[in-house]
C-alpha cells in the first residue's frame, strides 16, 4: 500500500474513512486512497527530510499542496506560542480545535484557553488549557473580564489599585501618583510654584492680571507697576496710571467719553473741551454749542458756536424741538395738540379722512360704528348694529335693557319690563310663570320657593342670617348653634360669643365649653376678656386699672409719653405742658387767643405776630397789616395814609392786592384799614375781627381745633387718629414756630 501525502489531511477523509483509524501510521485501504487521489506520487520528488512532508511540487515551505484555492497554514515553529490555522472543520485535526474560523490548540491558546471563547487576561499564558496567573511584574489583573495584567506600581491608569488613574502631568511611582521633578500638587494639578501665575510661591496665590511669577514672587512689568482693582477675591491688574483711561492718575479714576489719559491726567483731544464727562467741540456740537451749558433745540445745528435758527420746513419750537405746527400730527396748530388716530395735520388743523369724524381720540365712521353711531357720544347697545348712523337691535332681541339687546317677551331677567326677573320661573309673552309650589315675588326677585329659599324664607324678601338654612319656611341655625349678631355661632367655642352672645374672650383668649381661657401672658379680666396687663391701657398692672387719656401702659405701669417732650397727667389726661395752649407750663394754664405755647411752656405771640403796646394794653399784632403798628410797634398809620399794606402805610383807596382783604380797624376813634389774608390769619379768620381761640388755627378761612401730637417728632403720627375730641378726625401737621412736636389739626387740611 502506498502512503498518504500528509497525515494531517486525513481529516479530509473523515466521511470516506468511517470505521478506519486516522493517523500517520495507520494504513489506509488502497482503494480509498486511490479514489481520493491521496496516494504517494512516486514519480515526484522525494519527501523532504527536514519537514517530513511529501514533496508535492510546491515551494519547500512545509505546506501541503492541495491543488485548490485553500489558504495554506504556515508552521512557524515558534516556541510555545500557538498560532491559529485558518481553514474549515475538515482541515483542523487533533490536538487542535476549530473555534469560529480558526484552528487553534485550546491547551495553549490564551484567546481560547480550555474552550473556544475562554480568554485569558491580556499578558497571561495558557498552559494545559488553564489560564495562568499574571506574570511579574504585572501581577495584578484589572478591568472587566478577562482583564489586563498590569503593574500597579507603575501603571498610570491603575496606580496603586485598579482604576486609579493619575493626572495627565503625573507619573505613577511605587503605586502613588506624584508630580515630576520641580513640581508640587495644587488641587489636582502639578504646578511649578516658581513660575505659575495662578500658584505663585504657594498654592492658590494668583498674580494680578498682566503680572509674571518669578522665583515664586508676583511682579508687574515695567510701565505697569500699579495694581488696580484688587479685592479680597480679585488680585487686580497691573496698570499704567499714566495712560490707562479707566485708572488715570490713580486707581478708579475713569476718563470721560472722548478723553485720553496722558501723564496721569484726563484730557480732551485738540479742538475739544471737557464738558462734564464728555469732550465737546463747542463750535459744532449741538449739545454744547458755544459753551458747556448751551444745548440747541432738536433740529437746530451748531455753527461756529451759535445755534442756528430752526429750518424753514420746521420753523416752530415745541418741547425743545423744531417742528412745523402746520403739518406736525403731535403739534397741530399749537404745541401739544395731537391729532387723533387716523387724522392728518393739514394747515394746522387735524383732518379726518372723508367719511370719518374726529371723535377726540380717533377718526370714526359714525354711520357704521356701534361705539359712535350717528355722533361721537352715541353708543349702541351690546348686540346692536349701526346702520346709516342709527342703532338697531336684531329682530330676535328687539328691546334694550341696561345697554344690551334683549327680548322682553321671553327674557326671564327682563320679562315684560327691564329688570323684571322670573327667578326659577319662565318668561312667556312678557309674563313670568312659576313652577308648581313657587310664588312670584316682586321687586325683581321673581319666582321663589318660600319653603327653602334662604333669601325668601316663609315670605318674599325675608333673608336668613349667615349660616342659617330655610326649612319649611323657617330660618334655622345648624344643630348646636345659635344666632348672634346676624350669624350662626357655637357659643361653646366661638371666642366672640363665648357662653352667650356678645361675650368676647379677646384676641388672646380661647373659648372652650362656653368658658374663656387665656393664653400666657394674657390675664382674664371681666370674666370674658383676655388682656396683657403689662401693656393694656384699660387694665394696666391689674384688671380695671385705666391709664390717663393718651397715656401708655409699660410693664404694667401707667405713664404719659416722654418723647419728644415729657407730658403730664392733667386731671386724667396726658398733656404736653411745653406746647399745649390750654396747659402751657402747668395744668390748666391757658394762653390768650392771640398767643400759642412756644415749646418751652411759655405763652408767646403766635408765629408771624409781634407783641405791641396798644394804648394801655398789650396785644399780638401782625405788623405787616395792622395799621396800629404798621411795620413795627408804635407806627400808627395817619389819616393821609390810613391803609397798612405789607408793613407800609399807603393812601386810602389803595388795593390790598391778590389774596388779601381790607379790614377796618379803629385807631383812636378813627377808622384805619388792614390788608389781611382771611384764609389763614387766626386774628381775622374767614372775616374781619374773627379771632380763633388759643387752641385753634385758621385753615381755609375756618378756625380748626388742634392738639400737640403726643409721642411724635414728625408726621405722620398715629396719635392724631386717637383724638376723639377733634370731631371728624385729625391730620398731622408741622410744628408751629418754636414748638418741638407736630400738631394734630381737626379735619384733613393743614394751615
Amino acid at each position: 500500500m502506498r502512503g498518504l501525502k500528509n497525515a494531517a489531511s486525513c481529516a479530509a477523509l473523515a466521511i470516506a474513512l468511517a470505521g478506519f483509524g486516522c493517523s500517520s501510521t495507520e494504513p489506509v485501504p488502497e482503494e480509498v486512497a486511490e479514489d481520493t487521489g491521496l496516494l504517494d506520487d512516486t514519480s515526484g520528488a522525494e519527501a523532504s527530510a527536514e519537514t517530513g512532508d511529501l514533496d508535492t511540487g510546491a515551494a519547500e515551505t512545509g505546506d501541503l499542496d492541495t491543488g485548490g484555492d485553500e489558504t495554506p497554514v504556515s508552521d512557524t515553529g515558534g516556541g510555545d506560542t500557538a498560532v491559529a490555522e485558518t481553514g474549515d472543520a475538515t482541515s483542523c485535526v487533533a490536538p487542535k480545535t476549530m473555534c469560529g474560523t480558526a484552528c487553534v490548540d485550546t491547551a495553549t491558546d490564551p484567546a481560547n484557553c480550555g474552550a473556544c471563547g475562554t480568554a485569558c487576561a491580556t499578558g497571561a499564558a495558557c498552559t494545559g488549557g488553564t489560564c495562568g496567573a499574571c506574570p511579574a511584574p504585572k501581577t495584578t489583573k484589572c478591568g472587566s473580564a478577562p482583564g489586563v495584567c498590569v503593574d500597579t506600581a507603575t501603571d498610570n491608569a491603575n496606580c496603586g489599585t485598579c482604576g486609579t488613574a493619575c493626572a495627565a502631568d503625573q507619573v505613577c511611582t511605587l503605586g502613588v501618583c506624584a508630580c515630576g521633578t520641580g513640581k508640587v500638587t495644587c488641587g489636582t494639578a502639578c504646578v511649578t510654584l516658581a513660575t505659575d501665575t495662578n500658584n505663585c510661591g504657594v498654592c492658590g496665590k494668583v498674580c494680578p492680571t498682566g503680572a509674571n511669577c518669578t522665583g515664586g514672587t508676583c511682579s508687574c512689568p515695567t510701565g505697569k507697576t500699579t495694581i488696580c482693582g484688587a479685592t479680597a477675591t480679585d488680585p487686580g491688574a497691573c496698570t499704567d496710571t499714566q495712560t490707562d483711561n479707566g485708572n488715570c492718575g490713580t486707581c478708579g479714576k475713569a476718563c470721560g467719553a472722548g478723553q485720553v489719559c496722558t501723564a496721569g491726567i484726563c484730557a480732551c483731544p485738540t479742538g475739544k473741551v471737557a464738558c462734564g464727562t464728555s469732550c465737546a467741540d463747542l463750535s459744532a456740537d449741538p449739545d454744547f454749542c458755544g459753551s458747556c451749558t448751551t444745548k440747541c433745540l432738536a433740529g437746530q445745528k451748531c455753527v461756529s458756536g451759535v445755534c442756528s435758527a430752526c429750518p424753514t420746513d420746521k420753523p416752530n419750537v415745541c418741547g425743545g424741538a423744531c417742528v412745523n405746527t402746520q403739518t406736525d400730527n403731535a403739534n397741530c396748530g399749537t404745541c401739544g395738540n395731537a391729532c387723533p388716530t387716523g387724522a392728518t395735520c393739514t394747515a394746522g388743523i387735524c383732518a379726518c379722512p372723508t367719511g370719518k369724524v374726529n371723535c377726540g381720540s380717533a377718526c370714526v365712521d359714525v354711520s357704521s360704528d356701534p361705539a359712535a353711531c350717528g355722533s361721537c357720544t352715541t353708543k349702541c347697545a351690546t348686540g346692536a348694529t349701526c346702520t346709516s348712523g342709527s342703532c338697531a337691535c336684531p329682530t330676535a332681541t328687539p328691546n334694550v335693557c341696561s345697554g344690551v339687546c334683549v327680548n322682553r317677551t321671553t327674557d326671564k331677567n327682563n320679562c315684560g319690563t327691564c329688570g323684571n326677573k322670573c327667578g326659577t320661573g319662565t318668561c312667556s309673552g312678557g309674563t313670568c310663570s312659576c313652577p308648581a309650589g313657587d310664588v312670584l315675588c316682586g321687586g325683581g326677585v321673581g319666582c321663589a320657593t318660600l319653603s327653602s329659599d334662604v333669601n325668601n324664607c316663609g315670605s318674599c324678601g325675608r333673608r336668613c342670617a349667615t349660616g342659617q338654612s330655610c326649612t319649611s319656611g323657617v330660618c334655622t341655625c345648624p344643630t348646636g348653634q345659635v344666632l348672634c349678631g346676624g350669624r350662626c355661632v357655637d357659643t361653646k367655642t366661638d371666642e366672640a360669643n363665648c357662653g352667650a352672645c356678645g361675650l368676647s374672650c379677646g384676641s388672646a383668649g380661647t373659648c372652650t365649653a362656653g368658658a374663656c381661657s387665656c393664653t400666657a401672658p394674657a390675664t382674664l379680666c371681666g370674666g370674658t376678656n383676655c388682656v396683657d396687663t403689662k401693656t393694656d391701657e384699660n387694665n394696666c398692672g391689674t384688671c380695671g386699672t385705666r391709664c390717663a387719656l393718651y397715656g401708655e401702659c409699660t410693664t404694667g405701669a401707667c405713664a404719659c409719653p416722654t418723647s419728644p417732650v415729657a407730658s403730664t397727667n392733667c386731671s386724667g389726661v396726658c398733656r404736653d405742658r411745653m406746647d399745649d395752649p390750654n396747659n402751657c407750663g402747668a395744668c390748666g394754664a391757658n394762653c390768650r387767643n392771640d398767643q400759642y405755647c412756644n415749646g418751652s411752656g411759655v405763652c408767646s405771640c403766635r408765629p408771624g405776630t409781634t407783641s405791641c403796646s396798644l394804648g394801655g394794653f398789650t396785644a399780638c399784632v401782625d405788623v405787616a397789616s395792622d395799621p396800629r403798628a404798621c411795620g413795627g410797634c408804635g407806627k400808627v398809620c395817619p389819616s393821609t395814609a390810613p391803609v397798612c399794606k405789607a408793613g407800609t402805610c399807603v393812601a386810602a383807596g389803595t388795593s390790598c392786592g391778590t389774596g388779601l382783604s381790607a379790614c377796618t380797624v379803629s385807631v383812636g376813634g378813627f377808622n384805619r384799614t388792614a390788608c389781611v389774608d382771611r384764609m389763614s390769619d387766626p386774628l381775622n379768620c374767614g372775616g374781619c375781627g374773627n379771632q380763633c381761640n388759643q387752641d385753634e388755627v385758621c385753615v381755609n378761612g375756618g378756625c380748626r381745633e388742634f392738639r400737640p401730637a403726643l409721642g411724635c417728632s414728625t408726621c405722620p403720627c398715629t396719635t392724631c387718629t386717637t383724638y376723639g375730641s377733634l370731631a371728624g378726625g385729625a391730620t398731622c401737621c408741622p410744628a408751629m414756630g418754636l414748638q418741638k412736636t407736630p400738631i394734630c389739626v381737626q379735619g384733613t387740611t393743614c394751615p
Side-chain angles (χ1 to χ4, degrees):
M1 180 182 291
R2 291 173 288 181
L4 291 174
K5 293 180 181 180
N6 192 320
S9 63
C10 150
L13 302 174
I15 299 174
L17 299 179
F20 295 91
C22 184
S23 68
S24 60
T25 59
E26 185 177 353
V28 179
E30 185 174 346
E31 61 274 18
V32 176
E34 188 173 21
D35 290 341
T36 60
L38 295 176
L39 289 177
D40 186 16
D41 185 0
T42 57
S43 65
E46 296 294 325
S48 171
E50 295 177 359
T51 64
D53 296 336
L54 294 179
D55 183 2
T56 63
E60 294 182 2
T61 61
D63 296 338
L64 178 66
D65 184 1
T66 64
D69 294 333
E70 297 175 1
T71 303
V73 179
S74 175
D75 181 4
T76 63
D80 295 333
T81 303
V83 179
E85 298 177 0
T86 60
D88 54 27
T90 61
S91 63
C92 190
V93 297
K96 295 186 178 181
T97 302
M98 197 70 183
C99 289
T101 60
C103 184
V104 301
D105 186 352
T106 57
T108 60
D109 188 348
N112 301 277
C113 188
C116 291
T118 301
C120 297
T122 302
C126 178
T127 305
T130 302
C131 292
C134 288
K138 299 183 178 182
T139 57
T140 303
K141 183 168 66 174
C142 291
S144 57
V148 179
C149 294
V150 300
D151 181 0
T152 55
T154 60
D155 192 316
N156 272 19
N158 301 278
C159 189
T161 59
C162 292
T164 300
C166 296
D169 51 359
Q170 291 181 320
V171 177
C172 183
T173 305
L174 298 177
V176 178
C177 294
C179 294
T181 304
K183 294 187 176 183
V184 298
T185 302
C186 286
T188 60
C190 293
V191 301
T192 303
L193 297 179
T195 59
D196 193 319
T197 55
N198 290 316
N199 300 277
C200 190
V202 294
C203 290
K205 182 181 179 182
V206 181
C207 293
T209 302
N212 300 315
C213 180
T214 305
T217 301
C218 296
S219 59
C220 287
T222 303
K224 293 187 176 182
T225 56
T226 303
I227 298 175
C228 290
T231 65
T233 58
D234 188 341
C238 296
T239 308
D240 182 359
T241 56
Q242 297 298 296
T243 60
D244 192 319
N245 275 14
N247 301 278
C248 189
T250 184
C251 291
K253 182 182 178 182
C255 294
Q259 293 183 323
V260 178
C261 183
T262 305
I265 298 175
C266 294
C268 291
T270 303
K272 293 188 177 183
V273 298
C275 287
T277 58
S278 301
C279 290
D281 181 354
L282 300 184
S283 66
D285 193 329
D287 291 326
F288 306 99
C289 189
S291 72
C292 290
T293 58
T294 301
K295 182 177 181 179
C296 297
L297 298 175
Q300 288 185 325
K301 295 181 180 180
C302 181
V303 180
S304 300
V306 178
C307 293
S308 64
C310 286
T312 55
D313 62 331
K314 294 182 178 180
N316 313 111
V317 177
C318 287
C322 295
V323 301
N324 189 335
T325 56
Q326 297 298 295
T327 59
D328 192 326
N329 273 15
N331 302 278
C332 189
T334 60
C335 292
N337 183 38
C339 292
T341 302
T344 303
C345 183
T346 305
I349 298 174
C350 293
C352 288
T354 302
K356 293 191 175 184
V357 175
N358 185 345
C359 285
S361 61
C363 292
V364 179
D365 183 355
V366 294
S367 67
S368 61
D369 194 326
C373 188
S375 70
C376 292
T377 58
T378 301
K379 182 179 180 180
C380 295
T382 302
T385 58
C386 179
T387 305
S388 300
S390 296
C391 295
C393 285
T395 303
T397 53
N399 314 115
V400 177
C401 287
S402 301
V404 180
C405 293
V406 299
N407 190 331
R408 290 197 296 261
T409 62
T410 59
D411 191 327
K412 61 184 297 182
N413 291 315
N414 301 279
C415 190
T417 60
C418 291
N420 184 38
K421 299 186 180 196
C422 295
T424 60
T426 58
C427 179
S428 179
T431 302
C432 290
S433 298
C434 295
D438 283 6
V439 174
L440 183 63
C441 293
V445 174
C447 299
T449 307
L450 301 184
S451 62
S452 59
D453 190 334
V454 293
N455 293 313
N456 301 277
C457 188
S459 62
C460 292
R462 185 188 177 202
R463 290 176 174 270
C464 294
T466 302
Q468 286 186 317
S469 59
C470 181
T471 305
S472 300
V474 177
C475 294
T476 57
C477 287
T479 302
Q481 296 187 10
V482 297
L483 187 65
C484 287
R487 66 186 181 94
C488 294
V489 300
D490 184 351
T491 56
K492 292 190 295 294
T493 59
D494 193 291
E495 294 165 0
N497 302 276
C498 189
C501 292
L503 297 181
S504 173
C505 295
S507 59
T510 57
C511 181
T512 305
C516 292
S517 59
C518 300
T519 302
T523 300
L524 186 65
C525 288
T528 59
N529 194 20
C530 292
V531 299
D532 185 351
T533 57
K534 291 185 177 64
T535 58
D536 192 304
E537 294 167 2
N538 294 314
N539 299 277
C540 189
T542 58
C543 292
T545 299
R546 298 175 61 90
C547 294
L549 186 61
Y550 314 128
E552 301 171 342
C553 180
T554 306
T555 62
C558 290
C560 287
T562 58
S563 176
V565 295
S567 55
T568 303
N569 187 338
C570 292
S571 302
V573 180
C574 291
R575 299 295 190 186
D576 178 0
R577 293 185 293 109
M578 299 295 102
D579 296 327
D580 190 338
N582 292 316
N583 300 275
C584 190
C587 293
N590 293 328
C591 296
R592 297 198 315 262
N593 288 347
D594 58 357
Q595 293 178 322
Y596 83 119
C597 195
N598 67 2
S600 297
V602 177
C603 292
S604 301
C605 286
R606 289 179 183 251
T609 64
T610 303
S611 178
C612 291
S613 176
L614 301 176
F617 69 94
T618 300
C620 296
V621 299
D622 182 356
V623 295
S625 61
D626 198 315
R628 297 171 299 176
C630 189
C633 294
K635 296 182 178 181
V636 180
C637 288
S639 58
T640 55
V643 178
C644 182
K645 178 181 179 181
T648 302
C649 295
V650 296
T654 302
S655 172
C656 284
T658 304
L660 298 179
S661 301
C663 287
T664 301
V665 178
S666 176
V667 180
F670 298 96
N671 291 334
R672 298 291 184 263
T673 301
C675 292
V676 301
D677 181 358
R678 292 188 296 183
M679 301 303 289
S680 61
D681 189 344
L683 304 179
N684 300 276
C685 187
C688 295
N690 185 27
Q691 193 174 65
C692 294
N693 294 330
Q694 74 273 17
D695 56 358
E696 294 177 332
V697 290
C698 185
V699 180
N700 294 331
C703 292
R704 298 287 183 267
E705 187 180 357
F706 77 90
R707 295 279 187 277
L710 288 180
C712 295
S713 57
T714 59
C715 291
C717 178
T718 56
T719 300
C720 292
T721 63
T722 65
Y723 274 125
S725 62
L726 300 182
T731 301
C732 184
C733 298
M736 294 192 302
L738 300 175
Q739 290 181 338
K740 297 178 178 61
T741 59
I743 58 175
C744 299
V745 178
Q746 180 185 9
T748 60
T749 306
C750 292

